[in-house]
Amino acid sequence: MPTLPVLVLNSGSSSIKFSVYEASDGERTKLFEGAVDGIGTDQGKFWIKDAAGTKLIDETPAVPNRDAAFKLVTDAVSKSPFPYPVAIGHRMVAGGPKLLQHQRITPEALDEMERRVAFAPLHSPIAIYIMRQAERLFPGVPNFVCFDSAFHSTIPEAAARFAIPESYVEQGVRRYGAHGISYESIVYQLGRELPSRLIVCHLGNGASITAIRDGRSVDTSMGLTPTGGIISGTRTGDIDPGVMLYILRDIAAEYPTTNAAADQLETIVAKKSGLLGVSRRSNDMRDIREHLSRGCPHCGMAVAEFTYVIRKFIGAYHAVLGGLDMLVFTGGIGENDTQTRIDICAGLQHLGIQLDPARNNVRGSATISAEGSPVEIRVIPPAEDLLIVNHVVRLLES
Ligand code: AMP
């Protein structure tokens, strides 16, 4: 197989991350990676580094919108030293009920994704925009999409359906989950060490938990959208639907049309809640820890709510799996915030989850369970871009 340069584009609600890999027989080499953060602000962040970690670009430009953000990326990667890609891989949260597998992007697939933007309204529009722009800017280069929801397509019906009238189920309203490529990458990295009963906590700015049996997702905390599940940086996670109705009635006078009220409700539950809403300070765990160390009670409550709900989900998924062999922490908080791991594991000893405080004092890949702990506890950073490159190469070859 010749050496294939593959560009990976991974957009979030306010960021575009990208990487360039070189793929050859069995070998994957990351050449560059970079990101534009803070889209919609006048103090964005734009950086690119090479394989040795040397920063080629490190700027704080104004990034008023996604056009400006994507132009920064494409202006940089379309010239030397970046190789011209032979294929482009995109990450997307959910493609809806008809697009369940990673696949080559066609005009029909793009139209179908567009019809389903309501299923991930903060994430899908920018991802679709970038797919269309990438096709225009790199003419003739095949584009592929990997859906987070693909990994969760194995969840049994009883866990995937919501108890709502059938007409909404027929429209495709169901649990799609998120972070699927991260979970798939953990399974991939575990390889022959993959246990039968596994719980993975992906704790980043977006946070979710998945129960995995024999490498397949059997339940996951996020629902139709990434707003459900456990508490995230700015999202509520699961709440009583009555709370949504209460807020809706509260804002009804100020937002008299249904769509305006729905948009405002979405802003409240998806952008102003979660760690940010409770801490009143930040959605960023590092800031929250710093304010907590200075005695901020709201930050204390944010961490307490966050870790409590995660413990509760671990208990639930322990029941779903009929026991547990391994617990994995991943994502920015899961990999780096040693205290969050301590807080989560405290009180779960009766489930066989025994953390070793000394081993826990690490950042990055490690086994952190105590000697003899019935459940092995590990920290494993996700390898989402590598997984996307693997799928792109597989699909190119087929
Ligand atoms: P992600 O979305 O995976 O990039 O994760 C972002 C989250 O990870 C933010 O809440 C960060 O504050 C948190 N995070 C990153 N590094 C650290 C660290 N060293 N200690 C605590 N939290 C961290």
Side-chain angles (χ1 to χ4, degrees):
M1 175 176 131
T3 300
L4 307 174
V6 178
L7 171 64
V8 178
L9 294 167
N10 184 344
S11 52
S13 47
S14 65
S15 68
I16 302 173
K17 295 181 186 159
F18 61 94
S19 57
V20 179
Y21 274 75
E22 220 165 45
S24 57
D25 274 333
E27 288 273 319
R28 308 283 182 259
T29 311
K30 194 197 297 180
L31 303 180
F32 303 98
E33 65 179 322
V36 183
D37 271 317
I39 299 176
T41 70
D42 56 7
Q43 266 261 307
K45 269 194 200 143
F46 176 41
W47 58 269
I48 298 180
K49 60 186 179 189
D50 65 16
T54 308
K55 286 243 167 111
L56 308 182
I57 294 179
D58 192 7
E59 297 170 356
T60 51
V63 193
N65 49 41
R66 63 190 185 185
D67 299 83
F70 195 55
K71 188 165 183 329
L72 284 171
V73 176
T74 48
D75 281 356
V77 301
S78 53
K79 54 181 187 268
S80 174
F82 298 90
Y84 198 79
V86 297
I88 303 174
H90 300 260
R91 173 185 161 220
M92 180 148 184
V93 176
K98 293 194 180 150
L99 300 175
L100 293 174
Q101 301 307 326
H102 310 319
Q103 58 193 266
R104 183 162 180 173
I105 299 174
T106 60
E108 296 74 31
L110 270 171
D111 290 346
E112 176 61 17
M113 286 182 237
E114 218 134 49
R115 277 193 285 277
R116 306 291 176 174
V117 289
F119 291 172
L122 301 177
H123 296 78
S124 296
I126 185 164
I128 295 168
Y129 162 84
I130 286 171
M131 289 175 209
R132 290 201 188 279
Q133 290 295 317
E135 290 196 325
R136 201 174 58 76
L137 289 160
F138 296 96
V141 175
N143 282 256
F144 298 86
V145 58
C146 293
F147 296 110
D148 276 314
S149 50
F151 185 68
H152 300 303
S153 61
T154 50
I155 293 179
E157 273 302 287
R161 284 174 66 114
F162 297 120
I164 51 174
E166 189 62 27
S167 58
Y168 292 104
V169 177
E170 279 164 11
Q171 288 174 32
V173 176
R174 58 180 284 131
R175 182 182 307 283
Y176 291 101
H179 299 134
I181 299 166
S182 165
Y183 293 121
E184 200 185 337
S185 83
I186 300 297
V187 169
Y188 173 80
Q189 291 180 80
L190 282 169
R192 294 158 69 97
E193 293 178 283
L194 176 74
S196 177
R197 300 166 303 178
L198 170 68
I199 294 177
V200 182
C201 303
H202 179 110
L203 311 179
N205 192 36
S208 70
I209 304 189
T210 293
I212 298 169
R213 182 181 290 118
D214 300 326
R216 293 155 73 92
S217 174
V218 290
D219 203 353
T220 192
S221 58
M222 282 180 173
L224 174 70
T225 70
T227 309
I230 60 173
I231 295 169
S232 286
T234 60
R235 306 179 200 135
T236 55
D238 290 351
I239 50 170
D240 172 4
V243 177
M244 301 281 281
L245 294 172
Y246 178 88
I247 298 172
L248 194 57
R249 292 193 178 106
D250 186 53
I251 62 177
E254 216 182 325
Y255 298 90
T257 71
T258 306
N259 278 337
D263 286 348
Q264 177 60 12
L265 183 58
E266 180 172 57
T267 301
I268 292 169
V269 298
K271 293 185 177 169
K272 294 191 170 175
S273 295
L275 292 176
L276 172 66
V278 183
S279 71
R280 309 184 192 181
R281 294 271 181 187
S282 174
N283 60 312
D284 191 296
M285 188 54 96
R286 280 166 295 199
D287 296 341
I288 292 173
R289 289 279 177 209
E290 198 190 315
H291 287 290
L292 180 57
S293 70
R294 289 198 240 124
C296 168
H298 310 299
C299 293
M301 184 48 70
V303 170
E305 282 191 41
F306 182 65
T307 52
Y308 173 76
V309 75
I310 294 168
R311 275 202 302 280
K312 203 157 81 167
F313 263 90
I314 291 173
Y317 288 168
H318 189 281
V320 165
L321 292 168
L324 186 62
D325 302 309
M326 189 187 285
L327 175 66
V328 171
F329 290 100
T330 191
I333 300 172
E335 287 161 47
N336 298 297
D337 194 57
T338 54
Q339 188 60 43
T340 289
R341 298 196 298 249
I342 291 173
D343 294 349
I344 290 170
C345 293
L348 295 181
Q349 289 88 345
H350 66 291
L351 298 183
I353 295 170
Q354 294 166 12
L355 190 76
D356 181 319
R359 287 184 184 166
N360 182 49
N361 208 10
V362 290
R363 300 206 156 87
S365 285
T367 297
I368 57 172
S369 39
E371 204 62 45
S373 170
V375 175
E376 190 176 344
I377 313 172
R378 287 208 195 179
V379 180
I380 305 178
E384 291 165 300
D385 286 4
L386 173 66
L387 250 279
I388 293 174
V389 172
N390 283 348
H391 284 300
V392 166
V393 171
R394 173 179 61 80
L395 290 163
L396 259 182
E397 286 175 343
S398 68

